[in-house]
Amino acid sequence: MPECYRIGSVTVELTEGDITELSADAIVNAANSWLKHGGGVALAIVRKGGEEIQRESDEYVRKHGPVPTGQVAVTGAGRLKAKYVIHAVGPRFGEPEGDEKLASAFRNSLLKAEELGLESLALPAISTGVYGYPYARCAEVLASVLLDTLPRARSLRRVIVCLYGSEAYSAFSKVFRERLGAYSSTC
Ligand code: AR6
């Protein structure tokens, strides 16, 4: 069962599953600065969406250079149900100012969706795979960003936080209930 929170005019839905299966205007990828989508959620996105996502990513880096940690780049979404993939570069756990960089990666994803005028966005638990962040710490960072950012949202109405596996879901659920309990809502 998904669980939901309402912050301003946006419903935040916590769900367990594969982000590449979701219907949202954009899905966020947990990328590296070179947009080389070699593992984790990035590889799943390219496998299902098609090589054009990797080609467009390569083109982006050729034109603009690597994407700094905490920043985002946008490509099309190939065969995925989404219109766009927003590639967000998170920090490695333990690097200096990691939490601030992780917050930037989430915040810039939400702001980019707003800039594109999107209604719905799906987010993975950025940095909690190859980059080693504990789920609970990532959830704390994301909860703060949602509370800061969503009250000012104009186009966004739905943010889906997609957790891969029950361990990730339980950890996020616990933190979100503690931090966002006052915003609890029906889905
Ligand atoms: N749907 C949703 N979440 C997923 C999926 C999926 N299909 N597959 C994995 N996850 P990671 P990072 C979860 O490693 O830590 C890549 O090689 C996963 O369980 O994808 O930011 C990139 O190219 C974890 O909770 O991203 C970079 O080099 C979360 O997604 C580097 O890894 C993020 O795990 C980025 O590392």
Short mmCIF file of all heavy atoms in Angstrom, two decimals, residues 120-163:
data_model
loop_
_atom_site.label_atom_id
_atom_site.label_comp_id
_atom_site.label_asym_id
_atom_site.label_seq_id
_atom_site.Cartn_x
_atom_site.Cartn_y
_atom_site.Cartn_z
N SER A 120 3.65 15.87 -12.63
CA SER A 120 4.04 14.72 -11.80
C SER A 120 5.51 14.36 -12.02
O SER A 120 6.04 14.50 -13.12
CB SER A 120 3.15 13.52 -12.12
OG SER A 120 3.22 13.21 -13.49
N LEU A 121 6.12 13.89 -10.94
CA LEU A 121 7.56 13.57 -10.95
C LEU A 121 7.79 12.36 -10.06
O LEU A 121 7.25 12.28 -8.96
CB LEU A 121 8.34 14.76 -10.38
CG LEU A 121 9.85 14.61 -10.31
CD1 LEU A 121 10.47 14.63 -11.70
CD2 LEU A 121 10.47 15.73 -9.46
N ALA A 122 8.60 11.41 -10.55
CA ALA A 122 8.98 10.25 -9.73
C ALA A 122 10.45 10.35 -9.35
O ALA A 122 11.31 10.59 -10.20
CB ALA A 122 8.72 8.96 -10.50
N LEU A 123 10.73 10.17 -8.07
CA LEU A 123 12.09 10.29 -7.54
C LEU A 123 12.56 8.96 -6.97
O LEU A 123 11.84 8.34 -6.19
CB LEU A 123 12.10 11.27 -6.35
CG LEU A 123 11.88 12.75 -6.57
CD1 LEU A 123 11.58 13.41 -5.22
CD2 LEU A 123 13.10 13.38 -7.21
N PRO A 124 13.80 8.55 -7.26
CA PRO A 124 14.39 7.40 -6.55
C PRO A 124 15.14 7.89 -5.31
O PRO A 124 15.27 9.10 -5.11
CB PRO A 124 15.36 6.84 -7.59
CG PRO A 124 15.90 8.07 -8.26
CD PRO A 124 14.76 9.10 -8.26
N ALA A 125 15.64 6.95 -4.52
CA ALA A 125 16.43 7.31 -3.34
C ALA A 125 17.87 7.57 -3.80
O ALA A 125 18.75 6.70 -3.71
CB ALA A 125 16.38 6.18 -2.31
N ILE A 126 18.10 8.80 -4.29
CA ILE A 126 19.40 9.17 -4.86
C ILE A 126 20.53 8.89 -3.85
O ILE A 126 20.36 9.16 -2.65
CB ILE A 126 19.39 10.67 -5.25
CG1 ILE A 126 18.32 10.96 -6.31
CG2 ILE A 126 20.77 11.13 -5.76
CD1 ILE A 126 18.10 12.45 -6.57
N SER A 127 21.63 8.38 -4.34
CA SER A 127 22.87 8.13 -3.56
C SER A 127 22.82 6.93 -2.61
O SER A 127 23.80 6.68 -1.91
CB SER A 127 23.32 9.38 -2.76
OG SER A 127 23.78 10.39 -3.64
N THR A 128 21.70 6.20 -2.55
CA THR A 128 21.62 5.09 -1.57
C THR A 128 22.04 3.73 -2.14
O THR A 128 21.93 2.71 -1.46
CB THR A 128 20.20 4.93 -0.99
OG1 THR A 128 19.30 4.61 -2.06
CG2 THR A 128 19.74 6.19 -0.28
N GLY A 129 22.52 3.71 -3.40
CA GLY A 129 22.98 2.45 -3.99
C GLY A 129 24.49 2.44 -4.04
O GLY A 129 25.17 2.39 -3.01
N VAL A 130 25.01 2.54 -5.25
CA VAL A 130 26.46 2.55 -5.47
C VAL A 130 27.15 3.62 -4.61
O VAL A 130 28.26 3.43 -4.12
CB VAL A 130 26.76 2.81 -6.97
CG1 VAL A 130 28.24 2.96 -7.23
CG2 VAL A 130 26.18 1.69 -7.83
N TYR A 131 26.47 4.76 -4.37
CA TYR A 131 27.09 5.87 -3.64
C TYR A 131 27.00 5.75 -2.11
O TYR A 131 27.51 6.62 -1.39
CB TYR A 131 26.54 7.21 -4.12
CG TYR A 131 27.10 7.66 -5.47
CD1 TYR A 131 26.64 8.81 -6.09
CD2 TYR A 131 28.11 6.93 -6.11
CE1 TYR A 131 27.17 9.23 -7.32
CE2 TYR A 131 28.63 7.33 -7.34
CZ TYR A 131 28.16 8.49 -7.93
OH TYR A 131 28.67 8.90 -9.14
N GLY A 132 26.34 4.70 -1.62
CA GLY A 132 26.50 4.29 -0.22
C GLY A 132 25.76 5.04 0.88
O GLY A 132 26.03 4.81 2.05
N TYR A 133 24.84 5.93 0.54
CA TYR A 133 24.10 6.64 1.59
C TYR A 133 23.16 5.69 2.33
O TYR A 133 22.46 4.90 1.70
CB TYR A 133 23.24 7.76 0.98
CG TYR A 133 23.74 9.13 1.33
CD1 TYR A 133 24.84 9.68 0.67
CD2 TYR A 133 23.14 9.86 2.35
CE1 TYR A 133 25.31 10.93 1.00
CE2 TYR A 133 23.60 11.11 2.69
CZ TYR A 133 24.69 11.64 2.02
OH TYR A 133 25.15 12.88 2.37
N PRO A 134 23.06 5.82 3.66
CA PRO A 134 22.03 5.06 4.39
C PRO A 134 20.64 5.58 4.00
O PRO A 134 20.45 6.78 3.81
CB PRO A 134 22.33 5.38 5.86
CG PRO A 134 23.70 5.97 5.89
CD PRO A 134 23.92 6.61 4.55
N TYR A 135 19.68 4.66 3.89
CA TYR A 135 18.32 5.06 3.48
C TYR A 135 17.75 6.15 4.40
O TYR A 135 17.15 7.12 3.93
CB TYR A 135 17.38 3.86 3.50
CG TYR A 135 17.71 2.79 2.50
CD1 TYR A 135 17.85 1.46 2.90
CD2 TYR A 135 17.85 3.08 1.14
CE1 TYR A 135 18.14 0.46 1.98
CE2 TYR A 135 18.14 2.09 0.22
CZ TYR A 135 18.29 0.78 0.65
OH TYR A 135 18.58 -0.20 -0.26
N ALA A 136 17.91 5.94 5.73
CA ALA A 136 17.27 6.87 6.67
C ALA A 136 17.83 8.28 6.51
O ALA A 136 17.09 9.27 6.57
CB ALA A 136 17.46 6.38 8.10
N ARG A 137 19.12 8.37 6.27
CA ARG A 137 19.75 9.69 6.12
C ARG A 137 19.23 10.37 4.84
O ARG A 137 18.96 11.57 4.82
CB ARG A 137 21.26 9.50 6.06
CG ARG A 137 22.07 10.72 5.96
CD ARG A 137 22.67 11.06 7.30
NE ARG A 137 23.64 12.12 7.16
CZ ARG A 137 24.89 12.05 7.63
NH1 ARG A 137 25.29 10.98 8.27
NH2 ARG A 137 25.70 13.07 7.48
N CYS A 138 19.12 9.60 3.78
CA CYS A 138 18.58 10.13 2.52
C CYS A 138 17.13 10.58 2.73
O CYS A 138 16.73 11.65 2.25
CB CYS A 138 18.67 9.04 1.44
SG CYS A 138 18.00 9.54 -0.14
N ALA A 139 16.36 9.79 3.47
CA ALA A 139 14.95 10.13 3.72
C ALA A 139 14.84 11.43 4.52
O ALA A 139 13.96 12.27 4.24
CB ALA A 139 14.28 8.98 4.48
N GLU A 140 15.73 11.62 5.50
CA GLU A 140 15.73 12.87 6.29
C GLU A 140 15.98 14.06 5.38
O GLU A 140 15.31 15.09 5.48
CB GLU A 140 16.86 12.85 7.34
CG GLU A 140 16.72 11.83 8.45
CD GLU A 140 15.81 12.31 9.58
OE1 GLU A 140 15.37 13.47 9.54
OE2 GLU A 140 15.53 11.48 10.46
N VAL A 141 16.97 13.92 4.52
CA VAL A 141 17.33 15.01 3.60
C VAL A 141 16.14 15.31 2.68
O VAL A 141 15.75 16.47 2.50
CB VAL A 141 18.59 14.64 2.79
CG1 VAL A 141 18.82 15.61 1.64
CG2 VAL A 141 19.82 14.57 3.70
N LEU A 142 15.54 14.27 2.12
CA LEU A 142 14.43 14.48 1.18
C LEU A 142 13.23 15.10 1.90
O LEU A 142 12.59 16.02 1.34
CB LEU A 142 14.04 13.15 0.52
CG LEU A 142 12.86 13.22 -0.43
CD1 LEU A 142 13.05 14.26 -1.54
CD2 LEU A 142 12.58 11.84 -1.06
N ALA A 143 12.91 14.64 3.10
CA ALA A 143 11.76 15.19 3.83
C ALA A 143 11.93 16.70 4.01
O ALA A 143 10.99 17.48 3.78
CB ALA A 143 11.60 14.49 5.18
N SER A 144 13.14 17.14 4.37
CA SER A 144 13.39 18.58 4.55
C SER A 144 13.21 19.34 3.24
O SER A 144 12.61 20.42 3.22
CB SER A 144 14.81 18.83 5.05
OG SER A 144 14.97 18.26 6.30
N VAL A 145 13.71 18.77 2.16
CA VAL A 145 13.60 19.45 0.85
C VAL A 145 12.12 19.55 0.44
O VAL A 145 11.68 20.60 -0.05
CB VAL A 145 14.41 18.70 -0.23
CG1 VAL A 145 14.11 19.23 -1.62
CG2 VAL A 145 15.90 18.81 0.07
N LEU A 146 11.36 18.50 0.66
CA LEU A 146 9.94 18.53 0.29
C LEU A 146 9.20 19.61 1.09
O LEU A 146 8.41 20.38 0.53
CB LEU A 146 9.29 17.16 0.51
CG LEU A 146 9.83 16.02 -0.38
CD1 LEU A 146 9.24 14.67 0.06
CD2 LEU A 146 9.51 16.27 -1.86
N LEU A 147 9.50 19.68 2.39
CA LEU A 147 8.84 20.69 3.24
C LEU A 147 9.21 22.11 2.82
O LEU A 147 8.38 23.01 2.89
CB LEU A 147 9.23 20.47 4.71
CG LEU A 147 8.54 19.31 5.40
CD1 LEU A 147 9.13 19.10 6.80
CD2 LEU A 147 7.03 19.53 5.49
N ASP A 148 10.45 22.31 2.38
CA ASP A 148 10.92 23.65 1.97
C ASP A 148 10.39 24.05 0.61
O ASP A 148 10.13 25.22 0.36
CB ASP A 148 12.46 23.66 1.83
CG ASP A 148 13.13 23.72 3.17
OD1 ASP A 148 12.44 23.91 4.17
OD2 ASP A 148 14.38 23.56 3.19
N THR A 149 10.33 23.07 -0.30
CA THR A 149 10.13 23.39 -1.72
C THR A 149 8.66 23.34 -2.15
O THR A 149 8.21 24.19 -2.93
CB THR A 149 10.94 22.40 -2.60
OG1 THR A 149 12.27 22.34 -2.09
CG2 THR A 149 10.99 22.84 -4.05
N LEU A 150 7.93 22.33 -1.68
CA LEU A 150 6.59 22.09 -2.24
C LEU A 150 5.55 23.17 -1.93
O LEU A 150 4.66 23.39 -2.77
CB LEU A 150 6.08 20.70 -1.83
CG LEU A 150 6.92 19.55 -2.40
CD1 LEU A 150 6.27 18.20 -2.07
CD2 LEU A 150 7.10 19.68 -3.92
N PRO A 151 5.63 23.87 -0.80
CA PRO A 151 4.62 24.92 -0.58
C PRO A 151 4.63 26.00 -1.67
O PRO A 151 3.63 26.67 -1.88
CB PRO A 151 5.00 25.50 0.79
CG PRO A 151 5.67 24.37 1.49
CD PRO A 151 6.45 23.66 0.40
N ARG A 152 5.76 26.14 -2.37
CA ARG A 152 5.83 27.17 -3.44
C ARG A 152 5.61 26.58 -4.84
O ARG A 152 5.79 27.29 -5.83
CB ARG A 152 7.20 27.86 -3.39
CG ARG A 152 7.35 28.82 -2.25
CD ARG A 152 8.61 29.66 -2.40
NE ARG A 152 9.81 28.83 -2.44
CZ ARG A 152 10.42 28.34 -1.36
NH1 ARG A 152 9.93 28.62 -0.16
NH2 ARG A 152 11.49 27.59 -1.46
N ALA A 153 5.24 25.29 -4.92
CA ALA A 153 5.09 24.66 -6.24
C ALA A 153 3.94 25.30 -7.02
O ALA A 153 2.91 25.64 -6.44
CB ALA A 153 4.83 23.17 -6.06
N ARG A 154 4.13 25.45 -8.31
CA ARG A 154 3.07 26.01 -9.16
C ARG A 154 2.46 24.93 -10.04
O ARG A 154 1.26 24.76 -10.09
CB ARG A 154 3.61 27.17 -10.00
CG ARG A 154 3.81 28.44 -9.18
CD ARG A 154 4.74 29.41 -9.85
NE ARG A 154 6.07 28.84 -9.99
CZ ARG A 154 6.77 28.75 -11.12
NH1 ARG A 154 6.26 29.20 -12.23
NH2 ARG A 154 7.98 28.23 -11.13
N SER A 155 3.31 24.17 -10.77
CA SER A 155 2.73 23.17 -11.68
C SER A 155 2.64 21.78 -11.05
O SER A 155 1.75 21.01 -11.38
CB SER A 155 3.56 23.10 -12.97
OG SER A 155 4.87 22.62 -12.72
N LEU A 156 3.55 21.44 -10.16
CA LEU A 156 3.57 20.08 -9.61
C LEU A 156 2.35 19.79 -8.74
O LEU A 156 1.96 20.62 -7.91
CB LEU A 156 4.84 19.86 -8.76
CG LEU A 156 6.11 19.47 -9.51
CD1 LEU A 156 7.29 19.44 -8.54
CD2 LEU A 156 5.96 18.11 -10.19
N ARG A 157 1.76 18.61 -8.95
CA ARG A 157 0.63 18.16 -8.13
C ARG A 157 0.91 16.82 -7.48
O ARG A 157 0.24 16.43 -6.52
CB ARG A 157 -0.65 18.04 -8.99
CG ARG A 157 -1.16 19.35 -9.51
CD ARG A 157 -1.73 20.20 -8.35
NE ARG A 157 -2.10 21.54 -8.79
CZ ARG A 157 -1.27 22.59 -8.73
NH1 ARG A 157 -0.06 22.47 -8.22
NH2 ARG A 157 -1.66 23.78 -9.15
N ARG A 158 1.88 16.07 -8.02
CA ARG A 158 2.13 14.72 -7.52
C ARG A 158 3.62 14.40 -7.57
O ARG A 158 4.24 14.54 -8.64
CB ARG A 158 1.35 13.75 -8.42
CG ARG A 158 1.40 12.32 -8.00
CD ARG A 158 0.34 11.51 -8.76
NE ARG A 158 0.44 10.13 -8.38
CZ ARG A 158 0.64 9.12 -9.23
NH1 ARG A 158 0.72 9.35 -10.54
NH2 ARG A 158 0.73 7.89 -8.79
N VAL A 159 4.18 14.01 -6.45
CA VAL A 159 5.58 13.57 -6.40
C VAL A 159 5.57 12.14 -5.85
O VAL A 159 5.04 11.89 -4.76
CB VAL A 159 6.43 14.49 -5.50
CG1 VAL A 159 7.82 13.90 -5.28
CG2 VAL A 159 6.55 15.88 -6.12
N ILE A 160 6.11 11.22 -6.64
CA ILE A 160 6.15 9.82 -6.22
C ILE A 160 7.58 9.51 -5.78
O ILE A 160 8.52 9.70 -6.56
CB ILE A 160 5.77 8.89 -7.39
CG1 ILE A 160 4.41 9.29 -7.96
CG2 ILE A 160 5.76 7.42 -6.95
CD1 ILE A 160 4.22 8.86 -9.41
N VAL A 161 7.75 9.06 -4.56
CA VAL A 161 9.07 8.64 -4.09
C VAL A 161 9.09 7.12 -4.21
O VAL A 161 8.35 6.41 -3.54
CB VAL A 161 9.31 9.09 -2.63
CG1 VAL A 161 10.69 8.67 -2.17
CG2 VAL A 161 9.12 10.60 -2.49
N CYS A 162 9.93 6.63 -5.14
CA CYS A 162 9.90 5.21 -5.49
C CYS A 162 11.08 4.48 -4.85
O CYS A 162 12.24 4.75 -5.18
CB CYS A 162 9.97 5.08 -7.02
SG CYS A 162 9.92 3.38 -7.57
N LEU A 163 10.77 3.57 -3.94
CA LEU A 163 11.81 2.83 -3.21
C LEU A 163 11.93 1.41 -3.75
O LEU A 163 10.90 0.77 -4.00
CB LEU A 163 11.48 2.79 -1.72
CG LEU A 163 11.62 4.10 -0.92
CD1 LEU A 163 12.80 4.93 -1.40
CD2 LEU A 163 10.36 4.89 -0.90
#
